[in-house]
Amino acid sequence: MLEHPEKNIKPKNISESVYKVDPELVLTDELTKKFGNRFLEYRKLYNELQKSEKPDHINLGYPLTVNLELVNRCNLECVMCYQGYRNDANLSKFSDETLDKMFIDFKKNQLSALMLSVSEPLLFKNIEKILIKAKEAQIMDVFLFTNGALLNDEKANMILNNHVTRLFISLDAATQKSYNEVRVPVAKRLLKENRLSFVEDNIVKFIKKRDEQKSKLPLVRVSFVILDKNKHEIKEFKDKWTNIVDSIDFQIERPVELFESVKDNDFSSQKINDDKSYDCSKPWSELCIYADGSVSPCCAFIGRKIPLANVNEYSVKEIWDNQNMKKVREGIENNSPVKACDLCLKSEKIIAQKGKSELSN
């Protein structure tokens, strides 16, 4: 594995990754064959946005990436995951009409990347239709985030046959004991089973299927959120997956308390009278769309407190240009962020310091 290549370490060290292959080289090699210069321009813009602290000079006119929650349900209730909008909430999922409208908008505006994430996308019964829609909309980079519990042969074949470019699997444990403590199943009877081995076997089988097809995509990543319950297993996790998956990602927990300290729909801002500089490229590069149709300016869970609008009423393009989104951008530009952004960005420095400490031990 390639140890923390500098160009691939994410900003502020909120996470760190270990690579078996260089994802940029693999994606460029595979996707320029399909999309030509359009893919190269997408990656150029992505990298420019990552480097820019306040990229107001980069006017995309449309998000580079959309995070999409297909159904607000998960088969797990992980200890670090806020459940208030998911398993504890009323069931939400998109109508066919809204999905059609969104994907027409994606194609019209040439959306570059789609992340199927937030809740468990493999619980969505029509997930294959979504992947087909993504292909028809000519979305180049399609991410699927999953806990891997449903990654059986049928789902593996569906993913391999439908232009998924990245398969990201959250594990957060190297042993069954830690897995049961962190990744708690909704069906508690499953705590008696060796669930981790089942998921690990599914991942290995998936990679074998992919390699037998002589394909390099989707890239497969496993991730580990560092908690007090599992941090003693960081090295074991790394050793277990080195040279099996394409990358390993270690992430730092974001405290739920942040979410609970912000009022809903609070777009008010206050000029910060200190030397702090608020750096974030998210409002210039992405949107997150939830299963109830609400849209936030990024995928951070605290972003749900500042919903921009709802896709059941407005197009993605209209939301990207609306007044709420402008308030979020202007707040970061002028060092007077809305409350949710203020707390999120302040917490990043604390989280980054914690991450450095945990990963160096």
Side-chain angles (χ1 to χ4, degrees), residues 13-232:
N13 288 322
I14 297 303
S15 72
E16 288 196 29
S17 300
V18 183
Y19 295 91
K20 178 182 176 183
V21 299
D22 186 323
E24 286 295 328
L25 289 178
V26 173
L27 290 165
T28 299
D29 184 51
E30 295 297 309
L31 296 182
T32 50
K33 296 174 186 175
K34 293 184 177 181
F35 301 104
N37 286 333
R38 184 181 162 220
F39 179 79
L40 297 176
E41 182 64 18
Y42 152 54
R43 297 314 293 168
K44 178 184 176 183
L45 285 169
Y46 173 82
N47 288 318
E48 285 181 7
L49 286 161
Q50 293 300 303
K51 293 174 185 175
S52 298
E53 296 177 348
K54 299 174 183 180
D56 53 302
H57 63 287
I58 304 174
N59 184 12
L60 298 182
Y62 200 75
L64 203 63
T65 302
V66 165
N67 296 272
L68 181 62
E69 178 188 50
L70 294 172
V71 60
N72 64 333
R73 285 295 182 270
C74 188
N75 48 347
L76 303 182
E77 295 177 334
C78 301
V79 295
M80 66 286 194
C81 190
Y82 184 78
Q83 293 295 327
Y85 289 102
R86 192 172 292 115
N87 292 333
D88 292 344
N90 292 330
L91 178 66
S92 294
K93 55 184 178 180
F94 294 106
S95 68
D96 290 342
E97 180 183 1
T98 298
L99 282 171
D100 288 344
K101 183 178 75 170
M102 277 196 295
F103 277 90
I104 289 170
D105 199 71
F106 294 160
K107 184 173 184 179
K108 178 182 177 181
N109 292 282
Q110 294 190 309
L111 178 67
S112 295
L114 178 68
M115 296 184 175
L116 302 176
S117 59
V118 187
S119 295
E120 175 51 59
L122 292 181
L123 281 176
F124 188 69
K125 291 182 179 179
N126 293 322
I127 178 70
E128 186 166 18
K129 289 185 179 180
I130 298 300
L131 295 177
I132 291 170
K133 285 179 180 292
K135 184 176 180 180
E136 290 173 344
Q138 298 178 342
I139 300 171
M140 297 180 286
D141 206 358
V142 179
F143 300 63
L144 197 155
F145 291 75
T146 177
N147 57 48
L150 301 175
L151 190 63
N152 55 23
D153 282 346
E154 180 184 358
K155 293 290 196 305
N157 289 331
M158 176 200 70
I159 292 167
L160 287 165
N161 293 332
N162 282 287
H163 185 64
V164 174
T165 54
R166 314 195 206 201
L167 179 65
F168 287 176
I169 305 153
S170 303
L171 293 178
D172 310 314
T175 67
Q176 183 59 50
K177 182 177 183 298
S178 292
Y179 194 72
N180 278 343
E181 291 178 356
V182 175
R183 301 209 137 251
V184 183
V186 171
K188 300 302 184 284
R189 60 181 171 76
L190 295 177
L191 286 168
K192 298 178 181 179
E193 299 183 8
N194 196 350
R195 298 180 299 124
L196 180 59
S197 291
F198 177 74
V199 176
E200 290 173 339
D201 288 345
N202 283 344
I203 296 169
V204 172
K205 288 177 182 176
F206 181 90
I207 293 172
K208 183 179 179 182
K209 278 177 176 285
R210 182 197 68 181
D211 293 348
E212 286 174 349
Q213 293 183 8
K214 300 189 184 307
S215 177
K216 295 180 181 179
L217 298 179
L219 293 168
V220 177
R221 184 193 82 177
V222 293
S223 62
F224 186 108
V225 175
I226 301 171
L227 309 164
D228 288 339
K229 294 176 182 290
N230 66 5
K231 63 184 180 182
H232 60 286

